[in-house]
Amino acid sequence: MSEQAGEASLSKVFRRSDRNQHKSISAPQKGSWTSFLKSLAGFTGDLSSLTAPPFILSPTSLTEFPAYWCERPELFAQIADGKTEEARALAVLRWFISTLKGQYTSRNESMGSEKKPLNPVLGELFYGHWPEKKERGGKTTLVVEQVSHHPPITAYHIANDAKGVVLNGHNAQKTSFSGGSIIVKQVGHAILTVTLPSGGKEEYLITLPRLRIDGLWYGSPYIELADTSYIQGSNGWVSAIEYKGKGYFSGASHSFKATVSHPTRSSERIIQGTWHTTSTDKSTGATFHDVTTPKEEVTVTPVEEQGEWESRRMWYGVAKGIREGDFETAAKEKSRIENEQRQRRRDEAGAGTTWALKHFEHILNDPTYERLADLFSANPATEDAYIYLSNGPSM
Ligand SMILES: CC(C)CCC[C@@H](C)[C@H]1CC[C@H]2[C@@H]3CC=C4C[C@@H](O)CC[C@]4(C)[C@H]3CC[C@]12C
């Protein structure tokens, strides 16, 4: 195929999904982006292994992403204040929906488009906290560990001990390419546990939405959510959250419709809106969630005081290079880290040892997942889990 013919067919593949795209990439970047798109078409597997052009690289490692779960620490804490099972199920849904803007649109706001995050190394750590405030009952702490490199899996533990609210989960991605977009199936789940003042315990299984990365042709990728994700409580309450983009329920991007129900109740509650702004409870007409107000980013120890496995210290040189446009230094630093990792794996193989996780224990069939998944016939019926060892640093 001639170079021109190749480009023409490439444009057909990618432009199909770019109905709401305006921005375009600058001329000097076009060549490297076109070759990247060529490598994407027909790609399935682990996206982290694909070499992307410098302008699309993010200086942030994926181990930092679990912090998005708690950038509204009040909503996390308030789950414990619900007086009834229904009130708590709604509080869990409100907190969950309120994290989506940060999880899926914040890179577009801070960096102009979605970017390719740094691919964490095995054993990489990220610690942080949200300070104590009266409305939160106490401080909230975050412990993240990269528990697998091939495939990349990130485990996390978030806790507000004073309120008795804990979130435990892990994350991996399966990517494929379809209709000009990257489709990301999230593998993994989270369990939110609330310990009630009575001593009773409630658990909620949280499954994760499917992502579509659009805007590829124009070099300014952004995320739209698709399909349905669920929050199943041990008390029977279940929320089914259906995601649609432009042209569906409300004609707006980032639309969702959540149906909250209980097997012994005849009526269901419908929440509808756009997850990056506000939503309404259809039965009362009241605002259900509102993320138009500022969020609070996680507080992290200064890099100089971090240990060598901590994400920002480990990637310091690479991140600096990317931020300052010094991609040669970034690439050199990245190779150094990757070579060290390869050497470590060779040493382990030679010694007949394997890498030991620091904060989590890997179990094959999560009994909590299985019990809750059974209540709504979730697929798959079982999943792995990473159990927190309660040995995080004091923060
Ligand atoms: C930008 C293009 C060109 C490269 C694609 C990079 C891929 C690897 C990036 C782009 C968007 C990223 C996702 C953005 C948000 C989340 C939510 C978080 O809770 C878990 C990680 C997860 C699911 C990220 C996984 C990695 C991801 C899919």
Side-chain angles (χ1 to χ4, degrees):
M1 198 164 27
S2 76
E3 187 64 5
Q4 245 176 353
E7 289 234 356
S9 63
L10 204 61
S11 98
K12 261 184 234 142
V13 173
F14 282 91
R15 274 191 175 161
R16 245 184 297 159
S17 65
D18 287 320
R19 295 174 293 265
N20 28 8
Q21 207 51 40
H22 307 292
K23 283 175 284 181
S24 219
I25 58 178
S26 72
Q29 297 167 336
K30 198 119 194 246
S32 64
W33 187 245
T34 306
S35 2
F36 178 64
L37 293 185
K38 276 183 192 154
S39 68
L40 266 183
F43 178 86
T44 41
D46 172 10
L47 258 190
S48 56
S49 64
L50 271 192
T51 310
F55 77 90
I56 207 75
L57 300 179
S58 151
T60 307
S61 159
L62 266 185
T63 55
E64 295 206 21
F65 283 43
Y68 291 128
W69 286 116
C70 211
E71 292 183 322
R72 294 177 190 271
E74 282 76 25
L75 293 181
F76 189 68
Q78 276 161 21
I79 294 169
D81 299 336
K83 292 285 178 280
T84 62
E85 293 181 344
E86 180 176 15
R88 289 188 295 273
L90 287 169
V92 174
L93 177 64
R94 178 175 297 114
W95 154 76
F96 172 83
I97 298 290
S98 302
T99 71
L100 300 178
K101 181 185 181 189
Q103 307 252 23
Y104 302 113
T105 68
S106 60
R107 277 86 49 197
N108 294 70
E109 280 169 23
S110 62
M111 304 188 280
S113 82
E114 188 57 64
K115 302 252 164 159
K116 187 172 186 282
L118 297 170
N119 184 23
V121 306
L122 180 60
E124 185 176 322
L125 302 168
F126 184 69
Y127 303 128
H129 77 283
W130 290 266
E132 170 165 9
K133 277 193 188 164
K134 207 161 142 244
E135 320 83 88
R136 300 175 188 171
K139 73 172 171 216
T140 314
T141 54
L142 167 71
V143 174
V144 184
E145 179 170 356
Q146 189 68 14
V147 292
S148 168
H149 183 69
H150 280 305
I153 305 175
T154 310
Y156 54 89
H157 176 85
I158 300 177
N160 182 332
D161 289 329
K163 298 292 271 190
V165 185
V166 172
L167 182 75
N168 230 311
H170 71 279
N171 244 97
Q173 296 88 37
K174 276 213 172 76
T175 52
S176 57
F177 181 80
S178 163
S181 306
I182 298 172
I183 308 294
V184 182
K185 180 186 183 319
Q186 296 203 65
V187 182
H189 64 273
I191 306 278
L192 186 132
T193 309
V194 197
T195 306
L196 302 167
S198 64
K201 218 160 114 183
E202 248 174 15
E203 287 165 319
Y204 295 85
L205 165 63
I206 298 167
T207 71
L208 305 160
R210 189 182 291 263
L211 277 59
R212 215 182 51 229
I213 306 180
D214 287 336
L216 292 170
W217 174 257
Y218 294 95
S220 55
Y222 63 95
I223 291 174
E224 187 56 275
L225 300 180
D227 293 355
T228 307
S229 76
Y230 298 88
I231 305 178
Q232 173 69 60
S234 53
N235 52 21
W237 284 95
V238 59
S239 297
I241 308 138
E242 217 183 314
Y243 305 92
K244 298 279 156 123
K246 233 183 167 60
Y248 288 87
F249 306 131
S250 67
S253 312
H254 307 333
S255 296
F256 78 95
K257 179 177 159 189
T259 308
V260 188
S261 61
H262 189 278
T264 66
R265 300 279 187 98
S266 55
S267 65
E268 358 174 272
R269 199 185 276 266
I270 307 281
I271 315 288
Q272 210 168 325
T274 53
W275 45 260
H276 66 308
T277 62
T278 61
S279 62
T280 311
D281 184 330
K282 290 290 166 192
S283 41
T284 62
T287 298
F288 181 73
H289 97 293
D290 181 351
V291 285
T292 57
T293 55
K295 59 177 190 170
E296 178 178 330
E297 283 186 15
V298 65
T299 301
V300 180
T301 307
V303 190
E304 316 80 66
E305 293 164 31
Q306 289 187 5
E308 52 177 329
W309 285 92
E310 285 187 69
S311 185
R312 290 188 189 175
R313 164 119 178 245
M314 173 160 260
W315 291 103
Y316 181 77
V318 179
K320 188 165 183 279
I322 292 174
R323 284 205 188 89
E324 295 172 355
D326 179 359
F327 299 113
E328 210 172 297
T329 303
K332 232 174 34 214
E333 284 289 301
K334 185 164 170 279
S335 305
R336 182 183 57 75
I337 294 170
E338 286 165 353
N339 288 335
E340 271 173 27
Q341 287 299 306
R342 276 191 277 271
Q343 188 55 46
R344 203 175 283 273
R345 299 289 92 80
R346 277 196 291 268
D347 292 348
E348 285 166 358
T353 58
T354 52
W355 178 259
L357 301 184
K358 190 174 165 108
H359 297 298
F360 295 90
E361 185 197 340
H362 183 200
I363 61 163
L364 283 180
N365 301 101
D366 180 3
T368 312
Y369 177 92
E370 289 178 359
R371 194 162 22 87
L372 296 171
D374 203 37
L375 298 177
F376 68 110
S377 317
N379 183 17
T382 189
E383 271 199 358
D384 293 14
Y386 292 85
I387 308 295
Y388 182 54
L389 298 174
S390 300
N391 59 353
S394 54
M395 293 183 247

